[in-house]
Amino acid sequence: MQIAITREVSRSIAQCELTHLSRVQIDLELARSQHQRYQQALAELGCEVVSLEEQPELPDSVFVEDVAIVLDECAVITRPGADSRRPESDSIARKLSEYRKLVYIEAPGTLDGGDVLRVGKTLFVGLSGRSNRAAIDQLRALIAPYGYTVKAAEVSGCLHLKSAVSQAAENTLLVNPRWVNPADFGDFEWLEIDPAEEYAANTLLIGKSIIYPTSFPRTRQLLEQRGIRVVAVEVSELQKAEGAVTCCSLVFTQPVTSA
Ligand code: CIR
């Protein structure tokens, strides 16, 4: 069974962190209904959605991906690169402790989950404005005992590694080659986004389907031509907060225990 942890959109999302985008008005009600539909897509794809309550004082708290990395053996509680986001960790850690042993990234390390692309036993970690080498070294030491390999990858021009590259199918990565170097990622098949859609490389793979924004029709066509099943969601308001589809959930497998 797959669990997807999500969190309701904060009423203060208009005060979110922005790095590469200019601030434009966010329609809170629309953001919330788009987020509802996103959660519904997760449920339709077989996830049990565990929705945490709103954190009114934490503008970016809907973006739960950034505060943890959930592996089969443990959950790594990150130390987000933006000061305003550090208080998001506590309640996610409490919830995750119901499922996993917790381990922590500590100062001077900073790490956003949006910088971590996990493919099998390999974790690619973006060196971005949010995540640094100290955190990468800590992460490597924390999870090496479980057989994981951690590889650093330079990111430029975007917020997180997964703004630039994400997994679209078992052996296929969707990439914007202007923001990362494909050579850093080994032997995967590559699908390049349509160059007219620079934010199109972030997709959330659940089973054999992907949750994907409606705002990138050209890249969506490329994905579908590869035989990838796309569940399209409208996320315009979350995109204005520099979010995308991976960042709104923490998805992990939980063995079904028999009574
Ligand atoms: C931030 O700048 O931290 C938020 N406004 C957006 C975070 C999006 N997270 C993600 O893509 N993993």
Side-chain angles (χ1 to χ4, degrees), residues 38 42 167 202-206 209-211 245-246 249 251:
Y38 170 85
L42 286 166
Q167 189 177 14
N202 184 267
T203 184
L204 178 58
L205 177 65
I206 306 281
S209 303
I210 58 168
I211 297 180
V245 287
T246 61
S249 54
V251 181

Side-chain angles (χ1 to χ4, degrees), residues 172-235:
T172 305
L173 299 182
L174 180 63
V175 61
N176 178 341
R178 278 163 294 284
W179 290 344
V180 283
N181 179 1
D184 287 345
F185 297 88
D187 290 336
F188 294 96
E189 286 175 31
W190 285 97
L191 180 58
E192 288 193 17
I193 58 157
D194 186 290
E197 299 175 337
E198 64 174 351
Y199 285 92
N202 184 267
T203 184
L204 178 58
L205 177 65
I206 306 281
K208 291 189 185 310
S209 303
I210 58 168
I211 297 180
Y212 194 66
T214 52
S215 48
F216 308 120
R218 293 167 181 240
T219 305
R220 176 179 173 179
Q221 201 178 6
L222 299 175
L223 288 158
E224 288 176 334
Q225 280 164 1
R226 287 264 184 134
I228 295 170
R229 177 169 177 263
V230 176
V231 177
V233 291
E234 178 78 56
V235 283

